[in-house]
Structures are given as C-alpha cells and as structure tokens.
Amino acid sequence: MNYDELSKIQTSIYLAAGRKTQNLLDGDYASVYKGRSMEFDDLREYVVGDNIRDIDWKSSSRTGRILVRRNIAQKKHNILFIVDSGKKMRADTSTGEAKADVAVTALGVLGFIVNRHGDDFTCLMGTERSISYNYFRTGKNHLQNMLIETEREILKDSHSNLNQLLGFTNNHIRRNKIIVIITDIDGMTSIDEDILKELSAMNDILLVNVDDAYLFGDEVFDLDGGVYEPEIISREKHLRDAEKAARQKTLEKAEEVLRRYKITSVTVRSEDEIVDKVMELLEKHKYEIIR
C-alpha cells in the first residue's frame, strides 16, 4: 500500500460519487451518524452536498470562499477500525481474489473518507504476540502507516480473536466512537452477543464481511490442512449446492443478530465493488438510525 494506491482509491471514490451521489461522501457524511447537535462550533469550506442553508454568507463575502457553519456533532468523529487477521484472511474470495487485498482496500476506502472529513481514526487488530492499537489521529501519513501495518499483520500467522478485540474495545477504549469491523463470515458468526450488546449501546457499529471462496471448483486449496481438496469432493454438485445453502443460512442468521443491535453490514467479494459497497453500507446505516 503506497500513495499511488491511495490515489487510486481517491479516484475510485470520486468516480462512484459522480455516478450516484456526492452527498454521501461529502457534506452529508456527518449526518450518517448519531448525535446531531445544533450548537455552533466553527466554519469550514463548502463541499458539494452541503445544505445551502448552512452557508455563512457574511464570512464567505469577507474571505472570498464559500463557508458553511459546522455544528459540534458534525465536527469530528472517533473512528475505530477493527480488522480480523491471521491465516483465514490469506484465503480467496468467491471471485478468486485474495481476501487480504479486499480487506485492506476496504479499509483504505473507509479510511480515506473519514480522513477527508477530518475525523480521528485508528486500527485495532491481533498480532503474533498481542494486540496492535495506536492513538486516534488524522492525516494522510497516519492513514498510510495504518494501511501498511494492517497489510503486514493480515498476511502473518497472527493471533486473531475477534471477541478478544471487541472485549478490549469495550474495556479499554471508553470514548464514544464509530466502530467499523472488517472480518469474514467466520468472524461474524463467532461474535459474542453480550459484548455486541454492550458496545452497541454507546457506539455506532458497521461491519464489512469479506466473502470466502467455496470448497468446490478447480484446484481448491485447504489452508488449514495445507492440501488441495480431492477433485471428487471439490467438483461434486450435491456438495456444492449444500454448501451454498448452508452458507446463505449462516449469513442470514448472523445478519439477524447484527440487525437486533442496529448494526449495518455488507458483503464484499472483489476490489472492484468496494466503493459501491461502502456507499451502500453508509446509506443503510443512515437509514437505520433515522427510522
């Protein structure tokens, strides 16, 4: 992950925003989350999607730039990214792409958006020895370093226990925050509901599910066993259909638990669809908190 990658992410976001809506990725981003305060805090330059009623015309005429009034609740969020790592993230998605690449790119897109808004953010993940966690801050260099570290850890045989990470968050990171979990279906189904209940009471939670490859097809490799699956199994249609049905049922059950605590989620299968899926995630969450 380097500045060229960040530039590619930025370009992808602008292209997607042009196709769908500038609101979500610019001025309306602040309204996606809870806690809308009417208390005035400061001014910032207008971006596409801001409500024209928020424009401060006197200040704009003095500075020669269009400025909008920003309320305290709109000013800054604390974003905590929790990223699953370890051997399972070295597998592929159902489209044949590396789960690690999809996870890191999803983190990059979300990180770019929150950094552009001026939010403080950090990443929490399991490492070979313990837990990696840094201070909340903002800035392009911070985002770059976060992505590099995440990419490095996600490709190691790191100790990754999603419940341990959520428990650490609940016990040690007291500030109100927006939690974005990047995991897979195994992580989704392993989450302790009691921890989820406690975290969701004080924080917004969003989840990105990185899709898994199926156990059928050509040259299917079993990471745990370290061997290729026998073709008599990997190409068996009845087993393939049974696995699809079982996974869909598992996913629906996991999503039902998330909805119980107003946690929005999306499933991502490839890097090409990440920007659209991130926009879908924010739109779904915005709908969830206003209904």
Side-chain angles (χ1 to χ4, degrees):
M1 182 63 66
N2 51 40
Y3 283 109
D4 289 338
E5 290 294 318
L6 289 183
S7 177
K8 182 178 73 173
I9 288 170
Q10 175 177 334
T11 302
S12 298
I13 289 172
Y14 285 138
L15 288 174
R19 289 199 310 271
K20 292 191 175 180
T21 170
Q22 284 282 358
N23 272 15
L24 190 60
L25 300 179
D26 286 302
D28 206 36
Y29 166 78
S31 69
V32 173
Y33 304 104
K34 301 172 187 173
R36 298 279 293 172
S37 169
M38 296 307 294
E39 185 178 351
F40 172 72
D41 188 66
D42 65 2
L43 297 169
R44 65 167 170 78
E45 194 161 358
Y46 173 87
V47 293
V48 177
D50 282 336
N51 193 322
I52 60 173
R53 289 178 295 182
D54 292 333
I55 295 176
D56 189 312
W57 294 108
K58 289 184 179 179
S59 299
S60 298
S61 63
R62 286 198 302 269
T63 62
R65 296 179 299 155
I66 301 178
L67 302 175
V68 296
R69 296 167 63 88
R70 183 160 58 172
N71 301 322
I72 286 178
Q74 294 174 300
K75 185 178 180 182
K76 228 173 211 187
H77 304 296
N78 296 306
I79 316 292
L80 175 65
F81 295 105
I82 299 179
V83 181
D84 226 343
S85 60
K87 182 182 289 186
K88 65 178 183 175
M89 298 305 286
R90 297 211 307 267
D92 291 339
T93 70
S94 60
T95 62
E97 296 186 31
K99 287 172 64 177
D101 291 343
V102 174
V104 172
T105 303
L107 177 63
V109 169
L110 286 158
F112 179 86
I113 293 172
V114 301
N115 182 66
R116 182 167 146 195
H117 185 255
D119 295 330
D120 288 331
F121 57 92
T122 190
C123 186
L124 176 69
M125 62 189 306
T127 67
E128 290 178 293
R129 295 181 179 179
S130 57
I131 289 176
S132 171
Y133 169 64
N134 294 308
Y135 294 111
F136 285 87
R137 58 175 70 95
T138 192
K140 199 169 185 179
N141 286 337
H142 175 51
L143 174 60
Q144 172 78 7
N145 292 334
M146 185 180 77
L147 292 173
I148 290 172
E149 182 179 358
T150 301
E151 188 173 45
R152 181 171 59 243
E153 290 296 338
I154 211 170
L155 293 173
K156 292 180 180 178
D157 287 331
S158 304
H159 172 67
S160 183
N161 184 317
L162 191 54
N163 281 318
Q164 183 182 21
L165 298 177
L166 294 174
F168 180 90
T169 301
N170 194 39
N171 295 327
H172 299 287
I173 309 177
R174 298 292 186 180
R175 66 177 74 187
N176 289 348
K177 55 199 168 294
I178 297 161
I179 300 171
V180 181
I181 302 170
I182 300 177
T183 184
D184 59 7
I185 194 167
D186 179 64
M188 287 178 69
T189 55
S190 70
I191 295 176
D192 187 297
E193 198 168 336
D194 289 335
I195 297 177
L196 211 56
K197 183 178 180 180
E198 288 188 50
L199 281 174
S200 62
M202 296 297 296
N203 309 285
D204 283 20
I205 304 178
L206 302 90
L207 186 144
V208 176
N209 168 39
V210 180
D211 184 47
D212 272 290
Y214 289 97
L215 296 176
F216 60 84
D218 296 326
E219 297 186 339
V220 177
F221 189 76
D222 179 1
L223 276 173
D224 288 330
V227 296
Y228 285 95
E229 290 288 345
E231 289 189 6
I232 192 172
I233 295 177
S234 63
R235 295 189 178 184
E236 173 57 48
K237 183 179 185 303
H238 294 299
L239 293 177
R240 177 187 64 191
D241 293 342
E243 184 191 9
K244 277 188 173 182
R247 180 180 296 186
Q248 184 60 33
K249 186 176 180 179
T250 300
L251 184 60
E252 289 173 359
K253 186 177 179 180
E255 289 174 341
E256 182 181 344
V257 172
L258 297 180
R259 284 194 298 269
R260 193 175 303 154
Y261 301 104
K262 295 190 174 182
I263 299 170
T264 48
S265 64
V266 291
T267 295
V268 181
R269 297 175 176 82
S270 68
E271 289 190 75
D272 287 343
E273 67 178 19
I274 286 174
V275 173
D276 287 338
K277 286 293 184 177
V278 165
M279 294 171 71
E280 177 187 337
L281 181 69
L282 297 179
E283 286 176 329
K284 286 170 66 176
H285 187 68
K286 180 180 175 182
Y287 171 76
E288 182 64 45
I289 66 174
I290 64 175
R291 68 173 182 167

